[in-house]
Amino acid sequence: MTTTEAAATVLPRPGTATVRTRRALGRVLTTLARSVAIFVPVFLVATFVTFAMRSLSGLSPARIQLGENATPEAIARVESQWGLDRPFLVQYADWLGGVLHGQLGTSWTNGADISTLIGLGLGVSLSVAAFALIIGVVVGFVLGTVAALRHTTWIDRTITAFVTVTSVMPAFVVGIVLVEVLAVGLHLFPSAGYVPAAQGFGPWLAHITLPALALSFDVIADVARQLRGSLVSAYRENYVTGAVVRGLSPRRIFFGHVLRNGIGPALATLGLKFPALVGASVVTEWIFGLQGFGRFANDSAQSGDVPAVQGVLVVSIALVVAFNLIVNLVLARVTPAAQRGV
């Protein structure tokens, strides 16, 4: 064999890495395009409907500031100050332009900047929701994997019963029990309040642990159920039988074939879990004395602060789209079907 032939044998074919990079970039761009195609119409419809409902409800800052007995002249004067005497489409266009520049408007109740108010509460809720998601994914992954590997045994039945019970337990009930046992009884964690991470990682983690645990039970149940079912189905596929015939080790079969093909449904369930944890934590925030995003949304809705509610809606849509985009990118990277473009 000549030197040229040996070099041709050792060196990889030119362009192989480039082709793989282009395919990966194509999957990313496709995922981004799909997310944008979903986000834009949903955002426009949701915000437009919110504006329309405000007009039909008769809510205005004048009635919040002046009360129900205000004269028509006083109401008209206040509404003119807020620009509510302009045509509806003009108001909507101005607000939408402000949102695109990061400005969510001004609160009707206290005149504060809504972006600032939401930012203060969102930091608390994101901390709790992120920790709850981590707990739910880790524990749910372990339980679902063990149940699948011990399918039809007493271990499988015990885990299935546990996740079934936890899936129907309301977060506020779990929160109260955790406060009574771990905070009041054992004094392991603070029962209420929040400390920013900038003031110390330890105090911050201690204050978010109990609310995160209370919210994580639903995530644990969903991840464990989805993962168990998909892994059990994957073990029944022909490619697993072929891997066994070829003499591959159980560890290699699980990580190289079963897990990669079975993890997709479990990851897909997380697409809406994180935004739901952020938005649906209002009861948990009341129990643990947290001024979070969910509590701010609830207070704004009850007080009739329409600009604040609209700001909450914008942030909620952004959270849903962003987290679903992350999940879709992970799915495109780890699942064989997505890499083949199926």
Side-chain angles (χ1 to χ4, degrees), residues 200-238:
F201 179 79
W204 169 77
L205 186 63
H207 281 81
I208 68 172
T209 297
L210 291 186
L213 282 174
L215 291 175
S216 67
F217 275 57
D218 184 54
V219 181
I220 292 173
D222 283 350
V223 172
R225 279 198 303 251
Q226 290 289 343
L227 188 61
R228 175 196 174 276
S230 58
L231 291 181
V232 170
S233 298
Y235 266 115
R236 296 170 180 168
E237 296 294 334
N238 293 331

Side-chain angles (χ1 to χ4, degrees), residues 30 56 88 102 120 130 135 166 211 223 270 308:
T30 301
L56 295 175
F88 169 78
L120 294 174
I135 296 173
T166 56
V223 172
L270 299 178

Side-chain angles (χ1 to χ4, degrees), residues 68-148:
E68 295 295 333
N69 297 324
T71 62
E73 293 78 10
I75 293 176
R77 183 173 62 255
V78 173
E79 290 185 347
S80 177
Q81 294 174 355
W82 285 88
L84 300 181
D85 56 343
R86 298 176 300 165
F88 169 78
L89 292 179
V90 174
Q91 297 180 46
Y92 175 71
D94 289 345
W95 175 84
L96 187 61
V99 169
L100 296 178
H101 289 85
Q103 301 172 359
L104 299 179
T106 304
S107 171
W108 283 356
T109 58
N110 53 28
D113 181 64
I114 295 175
S115 300
T116 303
L117 296 176
I118 290 180
L120 294 174
L122 193 61
V124 178
S125 296
L126 286 177
S127 299
V128 175
F131 194 26
L133 192 69
I134 293 173
I135 296 173
V137 170
V138 172
V139 177
F141 182 90
V142 172
L143 293 179
T145 302
V146 173

Side-chain angles (χ1 to χ4, degrees), residues 83 110 121 193 260 281 285 288 293 326 340:
N110 53 28
R260 290 190 64 194
S281 60
E285 291 172 359
F288 294 97
F293 180 73
I326 295 173
R340 294 192 303 265

Side-chain angles (χ1 to χ4, degrees), residues 14-308:
T16 302
T18 305
V19 171
R20 292 179 179 176
T21 303
R22 289 178 178 176
R23 289 179 179 176
L25 182 60
R27 290 196 298 268
V28 172
L29 294 178
T30 301
T31 303
L32 289 173
R34 290 176 180 174
S35 299
V36 172
I38 295 174
F39 169 76
V40 173
V42 169
F43 176 80
L44 293 176
V45 171
T47 54
F48 188 85
V49 169
T50 303
F51 263 81
M53 292 179 62
R54 184 202 69 183
S55 300
L56 295 175
S57 66
L59 294 173
S60 73
R63 298 191 180 277
I64 295 177
Q65 298 173 9
L66 304 178
E68 295 295 333
N69 297 324
T71 62
E73 293 78 10
I75 293 176
R77 183 173 62 255
V78 173
E79 290 185 347
S80 177
Q81 294 174 355
W82 285 88
L84 300 181
D85 56 343
R86 298 176 300 165
F88 169 78
L89 292 179
V90 174
Q91 297 180 46
Y92 175 71
D94 289 345
W95 175 84
L96 187 61
V99 169
L100 296 178
H101 289 85
Q103 301 172 359
L104 299 179
T106 304
S107 171
W108 283 356
T109 58
N110 53 28
D113 181 64
I114 295 175
S115 300
T116 303
L117 296 176
I118 290 180
L120 294 174
L122 193 61
V124 178
S125 296
L126 286 177
S127 299
V128 175
F131 194 26
L133 192 69
I134 293 173
I135 296 173
V137 170
V138 172
V139 177
F141 182 90
V142 172
L143 293 179
T145 302
V146 173
L149 294 177
R150 298 293 184 267
H151 183 48
T152 69
T153 65
W154 67 269
I155 298 177
D156 179 24
R157 291 191 291 269
T158 301
I159 293 176
T160 301
F162 171 75
V163 298
T164 301
V165 172
T166 56
S167 65
V168 298
M169 294 177 61
F172 73 91
V173 174
V174 178
I176 294 174
V177 173
L178 291 175
V179 170
E180 290 292 333
V181 176
L182 299 180
V184 178
L186 301 178
H187 303 286
L188 296 178
F189 299 96
S191 60
Y194 177 78
V195 175
Q199 299 182 13
F201 179 79
W204 169 77
L205 186 63
H207 281 81
I208 68 172
T209 297
L210 291 186
L213 282 174
L215 291 175
S216 67
F217 275 57
D218 184 54
V219 181
I220 292 173
D222 283 350
V223 172
R225 279 198 303 251
Q226 290 289 343
L227 188 61
R228 175 196 174 276
S230 58
L231 291 181
V232 170
S233 298
Y235 266 115
R236 296 170 180 168
E237 296 294 334
N238 293 331
Y239 56 80
V240 175
T241 304
V244 173
V245 171
R246 292 198 305 272
L248 299 182
S249 65
R251 181 186 298 272
R252 185 175 178 183
I253 292 174
F254 177 76
F255 287 103
H257 299 277
V258 176
L259 183 60
R260 290 190 64 194
N261 287 277
I263 200 174
L267 288 177
T269 60
L270 299 178
L272 296 176
K273 275 299 175 184
F274 186 71
L277 290 175
V278 175
S281 60
V282 56
V283 177
T284 306
E285 291 172 359
W286 275 104
I287 294 174
F288 294 97
L290 303 176
Q291 293 292 337
F293 180 73
R295 191 168 177 179
F296 173 76
N298 179 73
D299 293 344
S300 300
Q302 289 186 349
S303 63
D305 194 348
V306 175

